Amino acid sequence: MTTTPTTAPIAPATAAVIAEACRILGAGRLVAIPTETVYGLAADATNDHAVARIFEAKGRPHFNPLIVHYASTDSVRRDVEWDDAAARLAGRFWPGPLTFVLRRRADCRIALLASAGLDTLAVRVPDHAVARAVIESFGRPLAAPSANRSGEVSPTTAAHVWASMGRSVDLIIDGGPCRVGVESTVLDLSAAPPVILRPGGVPREAIEAIMGPVGEDDSGIDDRPRSPGRMLRHYATARPLRLEARDVRGDEALLAFGPEVPRGARSTLNLSPARDLVEAAANLFAMLRALDRPDHAAIAVMPIPDAGLGRAINDRLRRAAEP
Ligand code: TXA
Ligand code: MG
């Protein structure tokens, strides 16, 4: 067995620590931050590579879309299609434990991987001075799921984060225990009528007092078994996908992986010539979208190793390939 350092990288939110957090985030790496709900595992939301590291660190077998955290309502409005309901709810509950799912704007800055390829984005302004200070100093929004490994409960102290994530996070900013202690309520405002996808810190009654009746469908909650009819919507291509392809036809597009690429495709994009699964995850949705064009009869996808992040990549490819 190899020995690993056992000192936790836990530090209080001094100016120097926030500067260090910004340096780590700017390098595409991960910092755990306190919010009023639970601790978040944060990465630069505009960097697909950094967002891919979140999925790698959590060890999730699939890509769930993530919540993107902002310091102000104005900055949220740069990335999503804002509407009247969002404005009223934000006026009442932001900053706070309520997340909106809204359509991405055409000029949305956020990594497609944070949306798991969908046309929608989950956004919130956390009610925590440390979280907002980090976002403000960094100058970009942060994608952050709860800072625990897949299948474990959400952390509400810095020590919980360390116990669950260990060295896979470079810095854990200690903001004390989380005031709310449960995750934010996730409200899908892109659906008509709006639907609560996950109950959380803001109760349904408080939302309904502002905007009238909302539906509830918590079948998309992460890490739970899902009934096929009521799953979280997932990204699908319009063109058929041909998985495990070892050759390619002249009317197909090729989504390649690794250094040895079959020739003859109409178009080819390579997820990672170096067989780096973090790079492949970062490129997955953008490359599928780029190849999903009417002049391609199908998209042939080369085999991806079914280990580590490769499992999440293969999960999404299999779902996208379903007719
Ligand atoms: O309180 C919280 O919300 C914490 C703190 C860190 O902010 N974050 C958190 O993130 O719980 P996460 O990734 O563990 O949960 C995000 C939830 C998931 O249930 C996911 O399916 C849903 O939000 N979600 C995110 N984007 C979505 C989208 N575009 N459409 C539908 N559901 C979405
Ligand atoms: Mg979670």
Side-chain angles (χ1 to χ4, degrees):
M1 250 182 75
T2 54
T3 52
T4 45
T6 48
T7 328
I10 298 178
T14 61
V17 166
I18 289 177
E20 170 70 357
C22 293
R23 199 190 55 72
I24 294 168
L25 292 166
R29 306 201 60 87
L30 309 180
V31 175
I33 57 167
T35 82
E36 81 281 30
T37 57
V38 300
Y39 276 73
L41 183 62
D44 179 355
T46 67
N47 177 346
D48 273 288
H49 216 277
V51 175
R53 288 215 170 96
I54 291 178
F55 291 103
E56 184 187 45
K58 280 189 72 90
R60 266 189 193 167
H62 51 255
F63 297 124
N64 242 20
L66 305 175
I67 296 171
V68 176
H69 299 70
Y70 293 80
S72 72
T73 301
D74 282 344
S75 52
V76 173
R77 294 178 60 176
R78 290 178 58 187
D79 291 325
V80 289
E81 304 278 0
W82 199 243
D83 63 20
D84 196 55
R88 272 183 295 142
L89 290 164
R92 171 69 183 81
F93 296 110
W94 278 3
L98 179 61
T99 294
F100 304 150
V101 173
L102 290 164
R103 297 191 69 76
R104 294 169 65 103
R105 279 173 55 137
D107 59 352
C108 182
R109 297 167 294 169
I110 305 303
L112 258 184
L113 189 57
S115 292
L118 300 173
D119 295 323
T120 54
L121 185 69
V123 292
R124 84 179 187 99
V125 178
D127 185 16
H128 198 290
V130 173
R132 289 216 305 282
V134 175
I135 298 164
E136 251 161 20
S137 325
F138 185 52
R140 266 171 266 169
L142 297 178
S146 52
N148 53 281
R149 297 220 10 119
S150 180
E152 296 177 9
V153 294
S154 296
T156 55
T157 66
H160 293 167
V161 177
W162 169 242
S164 182
M165 303 297 311
R167 282 280 152 193
S168 59
V169 43
D170 288 326
L171 173 64
I172 302 169
I173 304 183
D174 192 350
C178 299
R179 177 172 61 77
V180 176
V182 296
E183 291 94 339
S184 61
T185 303
V186 179
L187 178 66
D188 187 353
L189 290 173
S190 74
V195 176
I196 293 178
L197 298 177
R198 180 179 72 184
V202 171
R204 158 203 283 273
E205 294 74 13
I207 295 169
E208 292 189 329
I210 304 279
M211 62 178 312
V214 294
E216 193 154 344
D217 180 356
D218 64 357
S219 57
I221 292 179
D222 44 334
D223 300 337
R224 282 210 203 160
R226 297 165 192 184
S227 55
R230 303 179 66 228
M231 276 183 318
L232 181 78
R233 220 158 56 80
H234 59 81
Y235 174 69
T237 50
R239 255 48 61 182
L241 286 187
R242 189 164 68 79
L243 303 184
E244 308 287 331
R246 285 158 209 283
D247 51 24
V248 67
R249 294 197 304 262
D251 60 353
E252 287 181 324
L254 178 65
L255 188 61
F257 179 79
E260 276 151 44
V261 178
R263 300 222 243 166
R266 182 157 294 170
S267 326
T268 298
L269 290 174
N270 198 326
L271 287 169
S272 174
R275 300 182 62 83
D276 172 352
L277 289 169
V278 175
E279 182 182 25
N283 286 329
L284 179 66
F285 292 112
M287 288 188 174
L288 279 172
R289 277 175 187 255
L291 294 176
D292 194 12
R293 298 197 319 244
D295 56 320
H296 297 139
I299 304 170
V301 185
M302 288 177 65
I304 317 273
D306 211 36
L309 264 187
R311 285 186 300 144
I313 295 171
N314 285 322
D315 171 77
R316 280 300 152 185
L317 286 169
R318 278 192 294 269
R319 289 173 192 272
E322 279 164 16

